[in-house]
């Protein structure tokens, strides 16, 4: 059974840093490209960052390049997203995704973790 379980979200203050995690099981994680998306209240889900299966290449949405870092540990079947200098506009549910049409692999989604940034 495929599972993607996000964790690490919570109530944060502006300017802080946060790392959210996505633990995968039930599929060959090290062969899958992984991505993080987020969905803010009242907005569409948007791509934050992606990472290749071996972790050697990453890509970011233009607005995310400065404060976001995606990385993975294939030994732990986990992908991470570090967010620096949190802003209120980072408030969203953060989802991880495995595979997808561009990779030719089946696509799997987690349930998301809520990040709320407020003073």
């Amino acid at each position: 059974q495929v599972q993607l379980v996000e964790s690490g979200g919570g109530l944060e203050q502006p300017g802080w840093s946060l790392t959210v995690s996505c633990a995968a099981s039930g599929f060959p994680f090290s062969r899958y490209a992984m991505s993080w998306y987020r969905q803010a209240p009242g907005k569409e889900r948007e791509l934050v960052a992606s990472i290749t299966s071996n972790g050697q290449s990453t890509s970011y949405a233009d607005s995310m390049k400065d404060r976001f870092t995606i990385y993975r540990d294939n030994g732990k079947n986990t992908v991470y997203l570090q967010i620096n200098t949190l802003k209120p506009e980072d408030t969203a549910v953060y989802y991880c995704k495995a595979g997808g049409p561009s990779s030719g692999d089946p696509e799997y989604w987690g349930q998301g973790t809520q990040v709320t940034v407020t003073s």
Side-chain angles (χ1 to χ4, degrees):
Q1 180 180 1
V2 172
Q3 282 194 313
L4 291 171
V5 180
E6 298 95 335
S7 62
L11 186 62
E12 310 292 335
Q13 292 195 3
W16 288 10
S17 294
L18 176 71
T19 298
V20 292
S21 305
C22 172
S25 61
F27 66 99
F29 177 79
S30 63
R31 299 179 190 175
Y32 275 66
M34 299 294 296
S35 299
W36 281 97
Y37 286 73
R38 72 180 185 182
Q39 187 166 19
K43 295 188 177 181
E44 293 186 354
R45 192 172 298 189
E46 62 177 344
L47 175 66
V48 176
S50 297
I51 188 167
T52 54
S53 58
N54 60 10
Q56 292 186 355
S57 181
T58 59
S59 61
Y60 298 87
D62 287 343
S63 61
M64 316 285 184
K65 291 179 179 178
D66 292 336
R67 298 185 296 113
F68 293 76
T69 302
I70 186 172
Y71 59 102
R72 66 191 294 162
D73 184 339
N74 284 349
K76 296 182 178 180
N77 283 7
T78 301
V79 61
Y80 304 90
L81 182 70
Q82 180 180 335
I83 312 169
N84 295 321
T85 317
L86 283 163
K87 300 179 179 181
E89 51 264 43
D90 294 324
T91 295
V93 179
Y94 285 74
Y95 299 90
C96 67
K97 187 190 81 170
S102 61
S103 67
D105 291 318
E107 183 174 291
Y108 307 117
W109 288 88
Q111 294 300 307
T113 185
Q114 175 72 49
V115 174
T116 302
V117 184
T118 181
S119 55

